[in-house]
């Protein structure tokens, strides 16, 4: 049975792949899915709870899904909670494909339709609003672009480095192998999280979030390729003794040709599985840095800095809708990558037995 057929019979791997497909489609179409701008503050609407959707008007007549303009009232001194004021004289219907803030599809085609929204003065905040009165759902969707892309960009940098240095080290051996492996051992002794914190802390405060994002990716990638290079070296040491490699040498093929066309492709199975399992580590690293204020900086959203409000005890107790959604999304993403990676490992292993 082919590996694809084995993968299709693994429900956990299918669940992981489905979750990831959904998440990536949503963040790719973030401007369309999010009803509002992640930077837009609503008038007198800070720390609003998730919007309640109504179906009947004040007279008890069914008029379809709608919301009312909502504002924050004064704080109750005893409980610390804010009063919620609803203007029920202005029902705002909830609709799909409503016009809203304009944006460009693929950065080219002007468009102003959003997946859902309201018609009227009322706003629909599915996950409430933050301290700056910004829609939390919109910020969560746009923040996924950073958190989900950092892993892909990271492996695009770290994996070629690991493949190249591991392949060269294993194929040529000798002093070159010793030199590369000593560098690898030094890099593997560096505590990744502490290095990230130290380097992120000394970054100049005036750099943009995009520049900070790229620096974080480069730093994480630089310290994560060493382990891969060591494993690739071990595999190349075995593969280079195979008959097809010896035949290529006999006909005069160059070492670079043999490594890229014959040796490294034999490690594809391991690379696919490792890439799937490595992406969560990049996501967690970005989330931790952003959580402690050294990653992506507000007002630009990421799942990590959306969690930074968890450091405020009052928000943790009184506004849990600001904490749980990004935390759950990070957990689901990491779990989905691990399930898919385990499924790929079982499906691509020629010794696996179909149960």
């Amino acid at each position: 049975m082919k590996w694809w057929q084995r993968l299709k019979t693994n429900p956990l791997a299918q669940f992981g792949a489905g979750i990831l497909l959904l998440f990536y489609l949503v963040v790719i179409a973030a401007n369309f899915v999010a009803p509002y701008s992640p930077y837009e503050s609503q008038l007198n609407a800070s720390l609003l709870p998730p919007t309640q959707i109504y179906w009947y008007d004040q007279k008890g007549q069914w008029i379809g899904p709608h919301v009312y303009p909502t504002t924050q009232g004064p704080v109750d001194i005893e409980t610390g909670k804010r009063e919620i004021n609803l203007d029920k004289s202005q029902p705002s219907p909830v609709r799909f494909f409503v016009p809203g803030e304009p944006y460009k599809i693929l950065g080219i085609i002007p468009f102003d339709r959003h997946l859902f929204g309201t018609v009227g003065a009322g706003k629909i905040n599915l996950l409430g609003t933050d301290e700056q009165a910004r829609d939390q759902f919109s910020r969560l969707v746009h923040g996924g672009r950073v958190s989900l892309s950092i892993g892909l960009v990271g492996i695009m940098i770290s994996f070629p480095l690991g493949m190249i240095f591991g392949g060269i080290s294993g194929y040529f051996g000798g002093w070159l192998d010793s030199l590369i492996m000593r560098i690898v051992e030094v890099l593997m002794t560096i505590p990744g999280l502490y290095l990230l914190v130290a380097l992120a802390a000394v970054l100049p405060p005036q750099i943009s979030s995009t520049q900070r994002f790229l620096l974080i990716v480069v730093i994480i990638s630089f310290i994560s390729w060493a382990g891969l290079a060591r494993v690739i070296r071990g595999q190349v040491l075995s593969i280079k003794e195979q008959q097809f490699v010896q035949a290529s040498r006999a006909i005069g093929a160059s070492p670079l040709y043999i490594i890229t066309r014959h040796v490294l492709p034999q490690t594809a199975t391991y690379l696919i599985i490792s890439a799937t399992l490595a992406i969560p580590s990049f996501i967690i690293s970005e989330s931790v840095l952003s959580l402690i204020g050294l990653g992506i900086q507000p007002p630009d959203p990421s799942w990590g800095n959306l969690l930074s409000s968890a450091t405020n005890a009052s928000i943790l107790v009184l506004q849990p809708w600001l904490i749980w959604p990004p935390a759950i999304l990070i957990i689901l993403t990491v779990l989905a990558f691990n399930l898919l990676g385990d499924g790929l490992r079982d499906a691509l292993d020629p010794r696996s037995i179909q149960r």
Side-chain angles (χ1 to χ4, degrees), residues 35-314:
Y36 309 110
S37 166
Y39 308 104
E40 176 189 359
S41 295
Q42 301 174 16
L43 182 62
N44 193 22
S46 63
L47 296 177
L48 287 177
T51 302
Q52 182 176 351
I53 299 177
Y54 298 86
W55 299 84
Y56 297 88
D57 63 11
Q58 298 182 69
K59 298 179 181 179
Q61 296 178 342
W62 190 87
I63 60 173
H66 63 280
V67 299
Y68 296 108
T70 306
T71 56
Q72 283 280 24
V75 179
D76 188 323
I77 299 178
E78 294 182 358
T79 64
K81 296 183 179 180
R82 292 177 180 266
E83 295 181 5
I84 305 299
N85 298 323
L86 297 178
D87 184 1
K88 293 193 175 183
S89 65
Q90 302 183 63
S92 301
V94 178
R95 297 286 184 267
F96 288 107
F97 309 112
V98 297
E101 180 174 340
Y103 58 93
K104 291 184 178 180
I105 300 176
L106 302 177
I108 301 174
I109 305 172
F111 202 61
D112 68 347
R113 297 284 169 170
H114 297 262
L115 178 61
F116 65 94
T118 59
V119 180
K123 302 285 188 180
I124 179 169
N125 306 118
L126 291 182
L127 299 176
T129 60
D130 63 8
E131 292 178 303
Q132 304 298 321
R134 298 169 297 202
D135 178 53
Q136 183 75 351
F137 176 79
S138 298
R139 290 182 61 78
L140 200 66
V141 171
H142 282 272
R145 286 182 166 180
V146 171
S147 298
L148 292 177
S149 63
I150 193 169
L152 299 179
V153 176
I155 64 171
M156 290 175 63
I157 297 175
S158 63
F159 271 57
L161 288 174
M163 291 172 59
I164 291 172
F165 286 101
I168 291 175
S169 177
Y171 186 82
F172 291 102
W175 67 269
L176 188 58
D177 178 30
S178 299
L179 176 63
I180 293 177
M181 285 300 102
R182 298 298 82 74
I183 295 174
V184 165
E185 289 169 359
V186 170
L187 288 176
M188 291 182 69
T189 61
I190 298 175
L193 181 59
Y194 296 112
L195 175 65
L196 285 170
V197 171
L199 294 179
V202 300
L203 293 177
Q206 65 271 18
I207 66 174
S208 66
S209 285
T210 301
Q211 293 171 325
R212 184 177 291 269
F213 169 78
L214 292 175
L215 286 173
I216 290 174
V217 173
V218 170
I219 293 169
I220 296 175
S221 303
F222 179 74
I223 63 177
S224 62
W225 66 268
L228 176 67
R230 192 178 186 122
V231 175
I232 294 297
R233 170 187 175 269
Q235 293 189 349
V236 171
L237 285 173
S238 174
I239 295 172
K240 73 176 184 179
E241 303 300 330
Q242 300 294 322
Q243 291 183 355
F244 62 90
V245 175
Q246 299 295 336
S248 296
R249 284 178 179 170
I251 62 176
S254 66
L256 180 61
Y257 177 87
I258 295 174
I259 291 174
T260 56
R261 294 297 300 273
H262 296 297
V263 177
L264 289 181
Q266 298 298 313
T267 66
T269 298
Y270 174 80
L271 290 172
I272 292 173
I273 298 170
S274 295
T276 308
L277 297 175
I279 291 176
S281 64
F282 287 94
I283 296 175
I284 292 175
S285 297
E286 183 277 327
S287 299
V288 170
L289 285 177
S290 296
L291 173 62
I292 62 179
L294 298 177
I296 306 302
Q297 299 297 304
D300 295 312
S302 78
W303 290 349
N305 66 28
L306 289 178
L307 275 175
S308 62
S309 56
T311 57
N312 187 324
S314 63

